[in-house]
Amino acid sequence: MMSGEAYAKTSASKPLTGKCVMVTRERSQARELVEQIEALGGEAFAFPLLKMIPPLDYKQLDEAIRTLDTYDWLIFTSVNGVRFFCERMDGLGVAVQDYAGRVAAVGPKTAAALEERGLLVEVIPSDFVAEGLLTSLQTALLAGQRVLLPRADIARKLLPEKLRKMGMDVTEVDVYQTVIDADMAPQAAERLQRGEIDAILFTSSSTVSHFVQAMSSWITPTWLDRVHIACIGPITAQTAQKLGLQVNVVAQEYTIDGLLDALLKNLGGESHDKQI
């Protein structure tokens, strides 16, 4: 099987040729997706809508890190959670590799980020969302165990609530804040008004809500009629629909590759995995 880069070099007709796809991921995470779109022949318009910054108050996070050995489980739901948590551990002089408890991650990229830090990830769900993680954890958890959830300030409450109902002693700590980045809203609005954007990719509920907020001055009844709205999973799609967006594409596999595959099928092409 060829890589996406090899496919881009050898294919005479690439599946996204002539298409412009808006990427709404946070600036530091957008590059990979932009490169994949370009490898498939498309133009990527990067409209980063999120900024991730440290928490205003480190007190609760620092206390959790200093008492890390008292937790039976350390559960991460994003790559960013891993990054900010480990950076704070470094700042406090605490070695993450010394943690002797069990570790779970919501998806393979989050797991990879943890393993790069020397942590063995025991549980990764097949569905890369909180619901899938809960299902995968059911047979591994014991009532009364202590669970630490390092997360974003806007993270969904489903996971901690369900874990508590299962008898877990859960501590949630904010390891970063997610704030809106609307610097490029005028350029994005101009391209939408000109009909130059064929699809918008949303990779989280927060990208959707921030998009609608950032574009509020330009919204009209028909402003996205010709644009394909693609969401990485059902939770993101539900948010988009609640905010009045017509969702055309929902990935079956809740990953960037799954999102691109679903978009290609919606635009009339085959899965890029199959083509490669």
Side-chain angles (χ1 to χ4, degrees):
M1 181 179 287
M2 289 185 184
S3 67
E5 182 178 358
Y7 169 76
K9 291 178 179 177
T10 59
S11 176
S13 178
K14 302 170 188 175
L16 287 180
T17 297
K19 303 294 185 183
C20 183
V21 181
M22 183 180 286
V23 176
T24 60
R25 297 195 90 186
E26 188 262 339
R27 196 177 300 274
S28 67
Q29 293 182 307
R31 181 179 299 177
E32 178 187 358
L33 185 49
V34 166
E35 289 175 351
Q36 286 180 276
I37 290 166
E38 291 173 346
L40 292 164
E43 176 193 353
F45 177 75
F47 180 24
L49 284 160
L50 308 179
K51 288 181 183 177
M52 294 168 188
I53 61 175
L56 292 174
D57 185 350
Y58 279 111
K59 183 177 180 181
Q60 187 181 18
L61 175 57
D62 289 355
E63 175 64 20
I65 289 173
R66 291 191 176 104
T67 60
L68 195 58
D69 59 352
T70 68
Y71 290 95
D72 302 288
W73 283 92
L74 186 53
I75 300 177
F76 287 91
T77 57
S78 72
V79 172
N80 289 308
V82 176
R83 176 166 66 89
F84 279 93
F85 186 78
C86 290
E87 285 176 358
R88 189 59 181 171
M89 290 191 76
D90 292 342
L92 294 175
V94 179
V96 69
Q97 298 89 345
D98 291 343
Y99 175 65
R102 305 178 74 181
V103 182
V106 78
K109 291 194 174 181
T110 304
L114 288 162
E115 287 166 357
E116 285 177 8
R117 284 284 186 157
L119 287 173
L120 173 65
V121 180
E122 295 188 42
V123 178
I124 308 172
S126 56
D127 290 337
F128 310 141
V129 290
E131 290 85 344
L133 184 57
L134 284 163
T135 300
S136 299
L137 281 168
Q138 279 183 346
T139 58
L141 295 172
L142 297 174
Q145 287 183 320
R146 299 195 73 206
V147 176
L148 179 62
L149 289 177
R151 294 156 26 103
D153 60 327
I154 61 170
R156 288 197 300 151
K157 294 297 182 182
L158 174 74
L159 183 58
E161 288 173 357
K162 293 290 186 181
L163 287 171
R164 289 186 180 106
K165 288 181 180 179
M166 294 165 66
M168 303 298 106
D169 179 1
V170 180
T171 299
E172 300 171 74
V173 290
D174 292 345
V175 293
Y176 65 95
Q177 298 180 79
T178 301
V179 296
I180 191 168
D181 180 356
D183 291 347
M184 292 188 63
Q187 296 97 311
E190 183 177 1
R191 297 209 63 174
L192 284 166
Q193 288 169 343
R194 289 179 178 176
E196 296 174 355
I197 303 296
D198 297 286
I200 304 174
L201 303 185
F202 291 113
T203 55
S204 66
S205 289
S206 53
T207 58
V208 180
S209 57
H210 287 174
F211 174 80
V212 172
Q213 183 180 341
M215 304 303 290
S216 59
S217 298
W218 294 276
I219 293 174
T220 67
T222 60
W223 73 306
L224 296 178
D225 280 359
R226 298 182 181 180
V227 180
H228 294 256
I229 303 297
C231 296
I232 200 166
I235 305 302
T236 303
Q238 287 169 15
T239 300
Q241 289 163 344
K242 286 178 182 177
L243 291 174
L245 303 187
Q246 177 68 46
V247 177
N248 308 100
V249 181
V250 182
Q252 296 300 304
E253 178 184 302
Y254 313 145
T255 64
I256 293 302
D257 285 340
L259 179 58
L260 282 174
D261 281 343
L263 176 65
L264 291 177
K265 291 173 184 176
N266 183 262
L267 292 175
E270 298 176 18
S271 159
H272 73 290
D273 262 350
K274 292 179 181 177
Q275 292 180 24
I276 294 166

